[in-house]
Amino acid sequence: MHKSILILGACGQIGTELTFALRETYGNESVIASDIREGSENLMDSGSFELLDATDYDVLEEVVAYYEIDEVYLMAAMLSATAEKFPERAWNLNMNSLFNVLNLAKDKKIKKIFWPSSIAVFGPNTPKTNTPQNTIMEPSTVYGISKQSGERWCDYYHHKFGVDVRSLRYPGLISWKTQPGGGTTDYAVEIYHKALAEGAYGCFLNEDTKLPMMFMDDAIKATQQLMATEAEKVKVRSSYNLSAMSFSPKEIAQNIKEHIPEFEISYKPDFRQDIADSWPNSIDDSKARQDWGWKPDFDLEKTTKVMLGNLKA
Ligand code: AKB
């Protein structure tokens, strides 16, 4: 069946790869990329592109009507580290864009929504290891507060208005096509770039800070899989825990050293250490596995091979 898809925040780390993946699945003409800024030539030339502020309801509504959009993937957000610097801007962007999309669905202008949540919904009082789907959630970051509130609104709009909204709590995402921006887990991408360019990396987290992580291909696979699942099987309408691997800066550095023996890492924790310390070190994603068959393909070793191979090329 033909469907028309709009991606908001298409030029970001996830948006870029999601746009390519969805264009591959549904055809270039069916997937409209949009962002507040321009992206790579590849992305803008392979299909339609709109310069669009996701917090502007009127423009969003116009674009949705013009392209007869069925599904919206809302990837625009301010991430954890930047959000600590601009709390109000982060709240406005993260919440208003979500309300806009939820209201479009409530008013039957679109049929389905994907909205990403994050491990940031958890906080210092959450059990750290194998963090369950349902547990204490008292986020201590601006970003985490916006994601937790967003989850409650998604659940509310689903149960109150029948909105088909689906969500995943992404861990830190590792990718080579587009760099992340403003997150706490960004070190796990920077480290590969620096290892190849300079043979050394100064890490802003301390060596034992273990965090949940995932290679981008797995994140895209999970997103597409969840969106393709029959509505009745999507039991969680806040957001699903999602997991692939967990490691510390010391462990990823050791892994990189197996490929680049001269690689050196040093540690100089900054304000992002507090953010990382408030997050889980591993996630129980059994609900996602049970409801829609989630299973990751990439561990740390496989991720390192693909990252170094592609960045070198
Ligand atoms: C961040 O570090 O802010 C993000 C996230 C874990 O959601 N990558």
Side-chain angles (χ1 to χ4, degrees), residues 79-81 117-120 143 170-173 182-186 279:
L79 298 187
S80 57
S117 186
S118 160
I119 54 163
Y143 174 65
Y170 288 135
L173 297 181
T184 303
T185 56
D186 295 8
W279 290 351

Side-chain angles (χ1 to χ4, degrees), residues 159-229:
H159 288 104
K160 192 95 182 167
F161 307 120
V163 167
D164 189 354
V165 54
R166 301 162 185 220
S167 175
L168 296 168
R169 290 174 182 153
Y170 288 135
L173 297 181
I174 304 172
S175 63
W176 56 271
K177 287 185 192 151
T178 311
Q179 293 243 37
T184 303
T185 56
D186 295 8
Y187 92 85
V189 177
E190 283 170 17
I191 195 168
Y192 290 108
H193 286 265
K194 292 282 182 184
L196 285 167
E198 296 168 25
Y201 179 60
C203 186
F204 56 75
L205 297 181
N206 71 35
E207 60 178 8
D208 294 322
T209 311
K210 201 173 186 133
L211 289 170
M213 299 279 183
M214 179 174 284
F215 187 57
M216 185 59 83
D217 291 24
D218 270 339
I220 300 296
K221 182 178 93 164
T223 306
Q224 289 201 270
Q225 211 175 320
L226 175 63
M227 286 299 273
T229 299

Side-chain angles (χ1 to χ4, degrees), residues 51-87:
L51 271 181
L52 166 58
D53 176 354
T55 63
D56 186 334
Y57 183 83
D58 294 338
V59 179
L60 181 58
E61 191 187 26
E62 243 173 63
V63 170
V64 161
Y66 180 79
Y67 289 101
E68 299 179 1
I69 297 295
D70 301 297
E71 290 181 10
V72 173
Y73 290 69
L74 169 52
M75 313 313 287
M78 194 182 287
L79 298 187
S80 57
T82 313
E84 288 306 298
K85 294 182 182 157
F86 308 104

Side-chain angles (χ1 to χ4, degrees), residues 98-114 153-166 231 234 236-238:
L98 177 59
F99 275 124
N100 284 349
V101 173
L102 287 172
N103 285 329
L104 283 170
K106 174 176 155 257
D107 296 342
K108 310 270 181 270
K109 292 177 176 157
I110 54 173
K111 297 193 183 98
K112 217 194 244 186
I113 300 168
F114 178 80
W153 281 114
C154 288
D155 197 61
Y156 182 86
Y157 269 69
H158 175 72
H159 288 104
K160 192 95 182 167
F161 307 120
V163 167
D164 189 354
V165 54
R166 301 162 185 220
V234 183
V236 176
R237 294 299 184 148
S238 51

